[in-house]
């Protein structure tokens, strides 16, 4: 899919260059509206393809990061279950990640380990949803005495 979209963008760019070649850099859209519309359509197609590719890559990166936070082995999908639909081929025995994505996952895991290492007594991988109860149980790791908050 990515290669097909990249190929289409290259073809559209060649089409734009071919359309603009007779004008030698001095194209007036009001003088030739048909050519202007053709150029606009090509440009809008290239922009749409770019947005689609950026959205596709953002979804892949979000799934990879989610796998890192949930401590799944993203680089070796055969060794870990895939409950969150991480990017991998159906029934694959090896990772379907590109070398760049594998490097990104390694660096992201290293960064995450360094970040979690500074907060050894706090689990940062817990749920981000706030509790639904009005009162929550708080586990105290170290007695800090009386604490006064802004709400009393």
């Amino acid at each position: 899919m990515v290669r097909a979209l990249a190929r289409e963008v290259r073809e559209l760019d060649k089409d734009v260059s071919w359309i603009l070649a007779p004008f030698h850099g001095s194209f007036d859209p009001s003088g030739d509206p048909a050519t202007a519309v053709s150029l606009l359509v090509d440009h809008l197609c290239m922009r749409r393809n770019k947005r689609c590719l950026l959205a596709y890559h953002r979804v892949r990166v979000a799934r990879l990061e989610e796998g890192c936070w949930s401590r799944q082995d993203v680089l070796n999908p055969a060794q870990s279950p895939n409950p969150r639909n991480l990017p991998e081929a159906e029934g694959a025995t090896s990772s379907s990640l590109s070398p760049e994505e594998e490097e990104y996952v390694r660096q992201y895991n290293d960064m995450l380990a360094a970040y979690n290492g500074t907060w050894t007594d706090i689990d940062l991988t817990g749920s981000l949803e706030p509790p639904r109860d009005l009162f929550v149980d708080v586990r105290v790791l170290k007695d800090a005495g009386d604490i006064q908050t802004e709400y009393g």
Side-chain angles (χ1 to χ4, degrees), residues 119-138:
W119 305 95
T120 56
D121 53 346
I122 300 173
D123 181 20
L124 297 175
T125 60
S127 174
L128 295 177
E129 294 192 22
R132 299 198 186 278
D133 299 332
L134 292 178
F135 299 101
V136 294
D137 292 329
V138 177

Side-chain angles (χ1 to χ4, degrees), residues 31-144:
D32 192 358
T35 303
V37 168
S38 178
L39 290 172
L40 178 64
V41 169
D42 285 346
H43 177 71
L44 292 176
C45 287
M46 286 189 283
R47 286 185 57 192
R48 180 190 64 83
N49 289 345
K50 179 182 174 182
R51 283 193 318 271
C52 290
L53 284 173
L54 288 173
Y56 170 75
H57 285 295
R58 182 63 208 139
V59 167
R60 277 184 73 91
V61 166
R63 287 184 182 168
L64 291 173
E65 289 174 356
E66 182 180 334
C68 292
W69 275 96
S70 62
R71 295 185 177 142
Q72 293 178 353
D73 192 3
V74 179
L75 295 176
N76 298 317
Q79 296 176 1
S80 66
N82 193 8
R84 306 294 264 171
N85 295 324
L86 292 174
E88 73 175 59
E90 188 82 20
T93 58
S94 65
S95 176
S96 65
L97 302 177
S98 69
E100 292 81 11
E101 287 173 326
E102 289 178 0
E103 181 63 24
Y104 176 79
V105 168
R106 279 191 207 92
Q107 289 181 0
Y108 193 82
N109 274 329
D110 292 345
M111 184 265 320
L112 189 60
Y115 183 67
N116 282 336
T118 59
W119 305 95
T120 56
D121 53 346
I122 300 173
D123 181 20
L124 297 175
T125 60
S127 174
L128 295 177
E129 294 192 22
R132 299 198 186 278
D133 299 332
L134 292 178
F135 299 101
V136 294
D137 292 329
V138 177
R139 185 180 59 154
V140 178
L141 299 176
K142 181 170 63 172
D143 185 16

Side-chain angles (χ1 to χ4, degrees), residues 19-40:
I19 291 171
L20 289 176
F23 295 102
H24 304 292
S26 61
F27 176 67
D28 181 23
S30 61
D32 192 358
T35 303
V37 168
S38 178
L39 290 172
L40 178 64

Side-chain angles (χ1 to χ4, degrees), residues 3-16:
R3 287 186 182 121
L5 283 174
R7 188 178 323 112
E8 183 181 341
V9 168
R10 280 193 301 272
E11 290 172 7
L12 288 168
D13 187 50
K14 287 178 187 176
D15 188 34
V16 167

